[in-house]
Amino acid sequence: MPREYTRRPLADRFWEKVEKTETCWLWTANTVRGGYGQITLGWKEGKGLSHHVAWFLAHGEWPSFLRHTCDTPACVRLDHLVPSNALDNMQDKHAKGRQRYLRGADLPHTKLTDEDVTAIRASTMPHRVLAELFGVSRSHISGIKTGHKRI
């Protein structure tokens, strides 16, 4: 007869993966992009972010968003977590200088530099010729010339 498998309680599995320091309580197991902790909730339930699980274990409800007041993604310390929303999170990141807004030549897919745009706007060559020279479409050149496109 096969042995029945019983999974250990979530709280036990969770807290054994937390290192409590003087400031933050750091998740030491699996992380996802950005350094946020992740734990398997159950076979059917899937996975959850560790700071959300910490909140659930303490309050019995799943938060939509939590903001880290310590700005440490791996932290699960409850007094470092504040219920939030997407807008608050973005405003907090921006206010603390953790959100970089890329524009123009700083964008990773940009083909043209600021100098290229200046040269295109000053040029009297046909759009077809400029498009071939700079490796972009004629409509892109037209957008730059009319001011509808920056790069």
Side-chain angles (χ1 to χ4, degrees):
M1 185 153 189
R3 192 179 107 194
E4 242 183 80
Y5 176 75
T6 56
R7 185 171 203 113
R8 293 176 44 227
L10 177 60
D12 293 348
R13 293 184 296 114
F14 179 84
W15 290 113
E16 72 185 10
K17 295 173 176 73
V18 175
E19 177 189 339
K20 293 182 179 181
T21 68
E22 288 182 23
T23 54
C24 293
W25 296 354
L26 301 174
W27 181 254
T28 61
N30 187 44
T31 58
V32 295
R33 196 174 118 191
Y36 294 93
Q38 184 182 54
I39 185 171
T40 300
L41 302 172
W43 180 68
K44 292 181 182 178
E45 295 86 3
K47 298 179 180 189
L49 294 173
S50 60
H51 58 293
H52 286 227
V53 174
W55 189 269
F56 171 76
L57 292 173
H59 300 285
E61 60 183 39
W62 289 101
S64 299
F65 286 90
L66 289 174
R67 183 170 47 86
H68 286 89
T69 58
C70 60
D71 296 329
T72 305
C75 183
V76 297
R77 187 171 174 163
L78 293 170
D79 58 348
H80 290 192
L81 303 174
V82 177
S84 185
N85 60 44
L87 178 61
D88 287 343
N89 272 352
M90 290 304 291
Q91 288 173 338
D92 183 60
K93 279 171 56 170
H94 187 265
K96 293 177 178 174
R98 290 185 286 110
Q99 178 67 36
R100 190 172 148 212
Y101 294 103
L102 300 177
R103 294 183 49 144
D106 292 332
L107 290 166
H109 62 275
T110 302
K111 289 184 178 182
L112 304 173
T113 65
D114 290 329
E115 294 79 25
D116 293 339
V117 171
T118 302
I120 290 168
R121 287 185 176 149
S123 176
T124 57
M125 287 191 236
H127 291 190
R128 175 184 49 79
V129 174
L130 289 170
E132 288 176 21
L133 277 172
F134 289 97
V136 295
S137 68
R138 283 187 269 177
S139 64
H140 197 116
I141 296 295
S142 178
I144 289 171
K145 289 253 193 196
T146 60
H148 295 305
K149 289 192 180 219
R150 186 176 184 288
I151 298 284

